[in-house]
Amino acid sequence: MNGNETTAAVAVKACGVERRFSHMRVLRGLDLELERGRTLSIFGSNGAGKTTFLNILAGLLRPDRGSVELFGETLPGSAELRRRIGVVGHEAFVYGDMSAYENLEYYSRLYKVEKTGRVEAILDEVGLRAAAKRPARTYSRGMLQRLALARAVLHEPELLLLDEPFTGLDPVGARLLSTLIGGLHEQGVTIILTVHDFERGLEVADDVVVLHRGRVGWRSAQELPDTAQMSEIYESTVGA
Amino acid sequence: MFALIWKDLILEARRRETVTSLFILGVLILLVFNFAIDIQSDNVAELAPGLLWASIVFSAMLGLSRTFLVERENGCMTALLIAPLDRGSLYIAKFSVNLLLMLVFEAMLLPIFILFFDLPVAGKLLNLIVVIFAGSIGLSSIGTLFALAALGTRARELMLPLIVLPLQVPLLIAAVKATSMVLDGASLGELGIWGTMLAAFGILFATVGWLTFEFISVD
Amino acid sequence: MFRKAENLILKLSPPLVAVAVLVSSLAVFMWVPTDKALGISQRIFYYHVPAASTCFAAFIGAGLASAIFLKTRNEQWDHAAHAAAGVGMVYATIVLITGSIWARTAWGTWWTWDARLTTFLILWLIYAVYLLLRAFSQGNEMGPRYAAVLAIAGAVNIPLVMMATRLWRTIHPKVINNPQGGIQDPRMIATLVLSMVALFTLFLWLWALRMRMLRLGDRVELLLADHYQSSQTFSRSNG
């Protein structure tokens, strides 16, 4: 394998990323590398820097120091690079006064999705076809979360970032989300998600990291630990 | 970019919040001025242009501050910033939406204004519309730029008029002068420096907005 | 670079300002002849005009520094703009007050909507809002950026404001280029130059002091935040 292929196989490469908010150092030299097609779960206490790191990957924040490469392109990337990323945030990013269909239609124009029938197909995939004509404000939390996922993968991104996607979902909704994430993983999408629940996080992941005080505190080796081991590892890393 | 403009217009068409409240506020301001300064048939020609612009400017503040409020819902602003859309286009799109909404509001206000003050506008209407249009470009270019900044502060919507009102003074002066000249029967070519200033202000601040929007939208 | 400039100014300016202010005050009050037409009140002009020019320079400088700040993201430039706008505001206030006092004796009124007075009122308001914006966005990462855009817009706007208010109406005396009255006595010109030097060096001194204050304030905040963060088991930021 020559050098070029190595770079091409790497989806995310973060080197010494530092970031502060006003005067709070949130990230303090975070190093992380992730191969294409892998699913990475990030654990960490509140304030460990999980959301900040995802926001940097999404191009919403710039690091104060250090660099981030996505698919070999250094951030801040071009609009073309941003097109290859999909994001599910804490909020659904949809307009309540428009239906699911209209919301997706709007985003598909924003992302210049040319495939016909893509909106219908994705609505089927997340099981919202029947409710597609209803204004999004009438949706339940679970439906909104599915719509948010549909919105994020509408343009078939190569890198999907999910910030606490399981928060606020009932067990059925969470299982459905796990299945959808699994399906995207099968399609070769690189996925990074932040999770609080070890079981959920371990279920979908190939790799696991624990963020602590703005650095990678622990990273899984070849074998993933089980939930009980994970919880021990977490506690010894965070030192709680 | 057009998708964004279209989406904003659909939302506005569904809610009709901005234009309706702008219109009512505009009429209210005319009413307040009518009582605040005793307007008679002998001074109406002198005072009318000022009244019109005072009404437009204050109502516009309300409308402009709503621009990015739409995007606050469910964090849609974040989605816009993640989307493959350069910041300049984002600014231009929002500026266009503001301009369009402002024009709709003015189209509603103008007949009331002419009616209230019994202005003879026959033959001057087209020129009047051109002047109002030019003034609106300036107002929305500067307002769109700072609407985002204002929302980012603790004072929220209160901050926008504070920022915009002093900055738009040259525009206001030029607009009022040009309006009164047009009402006196001047052609557009006769507006001279005031016409130039109206146009220059719009172009200048639209350019500043287009160039600097990037820096205040993403960190 | 900023530290060096700042240190240099802070070292040189106190004696320089002391001498310049003393000499120019002596000139203004003891040496320069009284204007024949305007009388004794014309002497306020030696503070009014230099304050006004320094103020323009400060605001335009704040705009330039802000543009560089946006481009380079180096917060030293932001401090430079912030300090220039802040001290510029003090000077704008001096312009308004001295102008108002002079208007009372010359035109019999404290305030007239004369073009240049109006210009300064508008500038004063723009930069008052600038400082307000900074205060209101404290703790917001983007605050300095918003302020920078406002400073740029303000600087771009200065010529427009001047032109618009001048065409709108003016009764302000045109002193410098006016072949009739105005100042012709070389002693008047010398005094004006002296006052310019005095007020400008004073500005530089205040600016450098303010720069240092802003920088040290930042440092204190950072140290405090680090202290809190490390003395807590779990930190509380939004990350």
Side-chain angles (χ1 to χ4, degrees):
Chain A
M1 205 186 266
N2 65 33
N4 262 340
E5 275 170 45
T6 324
T7 334
V10 171
V12 177
K13 189 177 177 186
C15 293
V17 174
E18 286 180 31
R19 171 73 204 204
R20 60 184 176 129
F21 279 107
S22 327
H23 300 288
M24 285 291 206
R25 291 182 217 268
V26 177
L27 296 182
R28 321 171 171 219
L30 186 148
D31 298 297
L32 187 80
E33 209 174 284
L34 186 68
E35 280 166 43
R36 268 184 201 233
R38 308 275 290 182
T39 299
L40 172 76
S41 286
I42 303 179
F43 298 120
S45 53
N46 294 321
K50 301 188 299 288
T51 301
T52 306
F53 181 55
L54 284 195
N55 282 342
I56 286 177
L57 292 181
L60 282 169
L61 295 171
R62 288 198 218 190
D64 294 329
R65 291 224 181 82
S67 70
V68 180
E69 276 176 32
L70 298 183
F71 307 112
E73 187 175 339
T74 308
L75 290 179
S78 56
E80 207 32 60
L81 180 65
R82 266 183 279 152
R83 219 195 150 282
R84 295 163 71 184
I85 305 169
V87 178
V88 176
H90 291 261
E91 291 170 289
F93 304 162
V94 294
Y95 300 91
D97 280 335
M98 301 201 301
S99 67
Y101 185 84
E102 284 170 318
N103 269 298
L104 293 180
E105 190 72 14
Y106 159 64
Y107 279 108
S108 68
R109 287 172 65 188
L110 216 55
Y111 277 91
K112 301 193 169 59
V113 176
E114 263 139 36
K115 238 192 232 177
T116 47
R118 174 71 184 148
V119 171
E120 287 82 357
I122 200 87
L123 279 169
D124 276 337
E125 233 171 275
V126 298
L128 283 177
R129 190 67 182 267
K133 294 270 152 57
R134 267 166 56 189
R137 71 181 128 78
T138 64
Y139 278 26
S140 67
R141 165 84 190 148
M143 289 165 87
L144 269 182
Q145 195 68 341
R146 275 185 275 157
L147 179 56
L149 187 67
R151 191 202 58 75
V153 299
L154 183 67
H155 57 287
E156 303 181 304
E158 292 160 61
L159 173 64
L160 183 63
L161 308 170
L162 303 107
D163 196 5
E164 297 180 17
F166 293 104
T167 308
L169 288 185
D170 58 25
V172 180
R175 201 154 53 238
L176 183 69
L177 187 63
S178 295
T179 317
L180 288 170
I181 292 174
L184 290 163
H185 180 62
E186 304 268 291
Q187 292 166 31
V189 180
T190 312
I191 300 171
I192 300 182
L193 65 159
T194 64
V195 214
H196 277 302
D197 184 19
F198 297 135
E199 200 180 329
R200 295 268 171 240
L202 290 168
E203 184 188 2
V204 292
D206 306 313
D207 280 296
V208 172
V209 298
V210 177
L211 280 199
H212 180 55
R213 293 205 170 177
R215 287 196 198 100
V216 173
W218 179 83
R219 175 156 191 169
S220 59
Q222 224 69 28
E223 288 284 297
L224 285 189
D226 64 29
T227 312
Q229 288 168 324
M230 189 62 230
S231 146
E232 263 173 48
I233 292 165
Y234 181 81
E235 267 164 39
S236 69
T237 312
V238 175
Chain B
M1 190 171 115
F2 290 106
L4 181 56
I5 298 174
W6 184 241
K7 182 268 301 170
D8 275 2
L9 292 180
I10 285 185
L11 284 178
E12 178 55 30
R14 270 190 205 161
R15 300 177 182 171
R16 293 191 201 88
E17 283 167 1
T18 309
V19 170
T20 320
S21 40
L22 247 62
F23 171 65
I24 294 174
L25 182 65
V27 174
L28 283 172
I29 292 171
L30 288 181
L31 185 80
V32 167
F33 274 117
N34 183 51
F35 291 120
I37 19 180
D38 195 9
I39 297 166
Q40 306 284 341
S41 55
D42 57 340
N43 62 8
V44 68
E46 255 173 80
L47 297 176
L51 288 185
L52 177 67
W53 281 101
S55 173
I56 291 177
V57 163
F58 285 117
S59 312
M61 288 308 118
L62 181 84
L64 291 165
S65 66
R66 299 198 57 84
T67 321
F68 291 100
L69 277 179
V70 181
E71 306 296 349
R72 288 210 138 198
E73 183 190 355
N74 290 321
C76 289
M77 192 65 208
T78 314
L80 267 184
L81 297 175
I82 294 168
L85 184 78
D86 74 86
R87 314 296 172 214
S89 310
L90 179 56
Y91 172 76
I92 298 292
K94 283 292 177 187
F95 160 69
S96 314
V97 172
N98 276 330
L99 181 61
L100 283 171
L101 294 185
M102 209 183 286
L103 290 177
V104 172
F105 146 72
E106 286 158 354
M108 289 159 80
L109 186 71
L110 194 59
I112 304 281
F113 171 73
I114 293 169
L115 196 86
F116 271 13
F117 300 106
D118 195 22
L119 291 174
V121 289
K124 305 163 187 166
L125 200 55
L126 195 66
N127 287 351
L128 186 61
I129 289 171
V130 172
V131 167
I132 292 177
F133 179 71
S136 305
I137 292 179
L139 265 183
S140 50
S141 65
I142 202 166
T144 308
L145 175 58
F146 288 106
L148 186 65
L151 276 186
T153 67
R154 260 177 289 134
R156 296 280 170 91
E157 292 90 334
L158 179 64
M159 204 67 214
L160 185 64
L162 291 184
I163 298 173
V164 174
L165 289 177
L167 284 176
Q168 52 87 48
V169 167
L171 175 79
L172 182 66
I173 294 175
V176 171
K177 290 279 180 189
T179 306
S180 68
M181 283 168 83
V182 161
L183 286 177
D184 272 345
S187 72
L188 289 177
E190 288 169 306
L191 292 180
I193 184 78
W194 297 120
T196 316
M197 198 177 284
L198 266 183
F201 195 92
I203 294 167
L204 196 64
F205 277 98
T207 313
V208 170
W210 183 60
L211 288 176
T212 57
F213 202 66
E214 179 192 343
F215 300 107
I216 57 170
S217 52
V218 175
D219 192 21
Chain C
M1 179 185 103
F2 277 96
R3 294 285 282 277
K4 261 188 197 153
E6 193 185 291
N7 286 337
L8 191 72
I9 293 172
L10 287 181
K11 198 176 281 174
L12 291 182
S13 54
L16 216 69
V17 170
V19 173
V21 169
L22 193 71
V23 172
S24 78
S25 299
L26 286 174
V28 169
F29 291 106
M30 326 267 296
W31 179 61
V32 78
T34 302
D35 188 272
K36 286 188 197 74
L38 296 168
I40 197 91
S41 71
Q42 180 266 345
R43 283 169 202 255
I44 205 168
F45 153 98
Y46 299 112
Y47 294 98
H48 182 70
V49 173
S53 349
T54 310
C55 179
F56 276 133
F59 289 157
I60 290 168
L64 287 175
S66 296
I68 300 174
F69 163 63
L70 287 183
K71 208 76 207 155
T72 62
R73 297 166 64 82
N74 176 351
E75 57 200 18
Q76 295 296 324
W77 286 105
D78 179 48
H79 290 165
H82 188 173
V87 184
M89 269 296 281
V90 176
Y91 276 66
T93 312
I94 294 174
V95 174
L96 286 177
I97 292 174
T98 52
S100 179
I101 294 172
W102 187 76
R104 180 79 181 100
T105 60
W107 301 327
T109 167
W110 291 109
W111 183 262
T112 67
W113 290 98
D114 152 74
R116 290 179 213 195
L117 282 181
T118 311
T119 300
F120 265 92
L121 181 63
I122 296 166
L123 291 185
W124 192 89
L125 283 167
I126 292 175
Y127 289 90
V129 171
Y130 170 88
L131 297 177
L132 201 63
L133 178 65
R134 297 207 73 120
F136 270 129
S137 53
Q138 230 167 38
N140 181 338
E141 270 295 289
M142 302 292 276
R145 281 343 145 67
Y146 300 152
V149 172
L150 180 54
I152 294 169
V156 166
N157 210 11
I158 289 176
L160 283 174
V161 173
M162 286 171 74
M163 197 158 64
T165 49
R166 175 164 322 172
L167 291 166
W168 179 55
R169 62 166 74 134
T170 190
I171 55 169
H172 192 284
K174 270 176 85 182
V175 187
I176 300 189
N177 283 324
N178 191 338
Q180 267 96 51
I183 51 167
Q184 278 159 350
D185 192 308
R187 280 175 295 175
M188 285 183 170
I189 295 168
T191 308
L192 182 61
V193 171
L194 269 173
S195 305
M196 288 264 188
V197 172
L199 278 169
F200 192 74
T201 45
L202 178 64
F203 170 83
L204 279 182
W205 187 23
L206 293 173
W207 175 77
L209 281 172
R210 187 90 184 93
M211 277 280 284
R212 172 163 292 182
M213 247 178 86
L214 289 169
R215 209 190 54 238
L216 291 178
D218 241 24
R219 202 163 150 57
V220 168
E221 287 284 321
L222 197 64
L223 288 171
L224 268 180
D226 272 356
H227 172 71
Y228 289 140
Q229 248 175 342
S230 58
S231 62
Q232 252 173 326
T233 358
F234 50 90
S235 47
R236 352 145 275 175
S237 85
N238 52 354

